[in-house]
């Protein structure tokens, strides 16, 4: 089952006999992913040389990892470099009798939302957003939260400083 079942599916690629679930196949995938985390533009030939398989095997495995929604390869733009210097966190309590999934779907369609998760505890959803100014954040809250019948309450926090933002993680951990 894919990690993100709602992610758009890509076309299926032929398997190279690689990912059969064997420990060796899983380990090869981890090595390939680790190298791509270091440099998403790394040539398949360079990956192949480092992991000890053919370029075709790497190409097929990467295609399969993409098709199975195990990895994505994309450019990460730093928000501040694009004029988004204001980072907000919004914690949402969904109104009684309202589907949390429906509210999450509505909120996930908002362009400013870059991270939305369902959580346990006092709130139902946690949302991270980027904005160009304090006024933009206020407009975002006014438009999408205040007075909405599917929202029982919210709590906001502002990110003053990001000390760590790790987009790569240890696959062996």
């Amino acid at each position: 089952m894919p990690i993100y079942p709602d992610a758009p599916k890509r076309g299926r690629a032929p398997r190279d006999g690689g990912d059969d679930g064997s420990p060796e196949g899983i380990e090869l995938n981890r090595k390939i992913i680790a190298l791509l985390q270091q440099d998403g533009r790394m040539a398949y030939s360079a990956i192949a040389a480092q992991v000890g398989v053919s370029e075709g095997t790497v190409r097929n495995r990467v295609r399969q990892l993409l098709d199975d929604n195990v990895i994505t390869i994309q450019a990460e733009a730093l928000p501040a470099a694009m004029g988004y210097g204001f980072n907000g966190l919004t914690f949402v309590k969904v109104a009684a009798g309202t589907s949390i999934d429906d509210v999450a779907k509505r909120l996930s369609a908002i362009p400013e939302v870059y991270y939305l998760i369902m959580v346990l505890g006092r709130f139902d959803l946690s949302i991270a957003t980027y904005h160009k100014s304090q006024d933009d954040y206020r407009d975002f809250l006014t438009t999408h939260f205040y007075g909405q019948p599917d929202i029982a309450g919210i709590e906001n926090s502002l990110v003053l400083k990001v000390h760590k933002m790790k987009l790569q993680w240890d696959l062996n951990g």
Side-chain angles (χ1 to χ4, degrees), residues 75-127:
E76 294 288 339
L78 297 176
M82 306 304 288
Y84 292 87
F86 201 84
N87 183 233
L89 299 175
T90 304
F91 302 94
V92 179
K93 181 68 179 165
V94 172
T98 302
S99 165
I100 295 170
D101 289 332
D102 288 348
V103 175
K105 185 176 181 179
R106 176 177 73 81
L107 297 174
S108 68
I110 301 168
E112 294 91 345
V113 173
Y114 72 89
Y115 190 68
L116 188 151
I117 57 174
M118 184 185 296
V119 295
L120 289 175
R122 195 169 80 170
F123 296 98
D124 300 306
L125 300 169
S126 177
I127 302 166

Side-chain angles (χ1 to χ4, degrees), residues 12-156:
R12 300 296 288 175
R15 293 188 183 263
D16 66 349
D19 188 12
D20 55 5
S22 70
E24 297 82 14
I26 293 169
E27 182 59 25
L28 178 57
N29 286 347
R30 286 179 191 216
K31 288 178 181 177
I32 291 169
I33 293 168
L35 290 168
L36 288 171
Q37 283 184 323
Q38 291 174 24
D39 179 1
R41 299 182 309 152
M42 184 178 286
Y44 292 146
S45 59
I47 296 171
Q50 290 191 45
V51 300
V53 297
S54 73
E55 182 178 342
T57 295
V58 171
R59 183 180 318 281
N60 288 338
R61 283 188 176 262
V62 170
R63 185 178 306 119
Q64 196 62 53
L65 291 166
L66 289 164
D67 290 347
D68 289 345
N69 292 316
V70 174
I71 63 170
T72 63
I73 299 174
Q74 59 194 22
E76 294 288 339
L78 297 176
M82 306 304 288
Y84 292 87
F86 201 84
N87 183 233
L89 299 175
T90 304
F91 302 94
V92 179
K93 181 68 179 165
V94 172
T98 302
S99 165
I100 295 170
D101 289 332
D102 288 348
V103 175
K105 185 176 181 179
R106 176 177 73 81
L107 297 174
S108 68
I110 301 168
E112 294 91 345
V113 173
Y114 72 89
Y115 190 68
L116 188 151
I117 57 174
M118 184 185 296
V119 295
L120 289 175
R122 195 169 80 170
F123 296 98
D124 300 306
L125 300 169
S126 177
I127 302 166
T129 55
Y130 281 114
H131 307 274
K132 292 191 176 188
S133 69
Q134 182 176 344
D135 288 340
D136 287 343
Y137 186 48
R138 185 187 65 240
D139 291 345
F140 165 78
L141 294 173
T142 300
T143 301
H144 301 291
F145 297 94
Y146 301 142
Q148 296 294 325
D150 57 355
I151 304 292
I154 63 171
E155 185 173 307
N156 303 307

Side-chain angles (χ1 to χ4, degrees), residues 159-166:
V159 177
L160 298 177
K161 182 177 181 181
V162 176
H163 288 277
K164 179 178 181 178
M165 187 159 111
K166 187 174 181 180

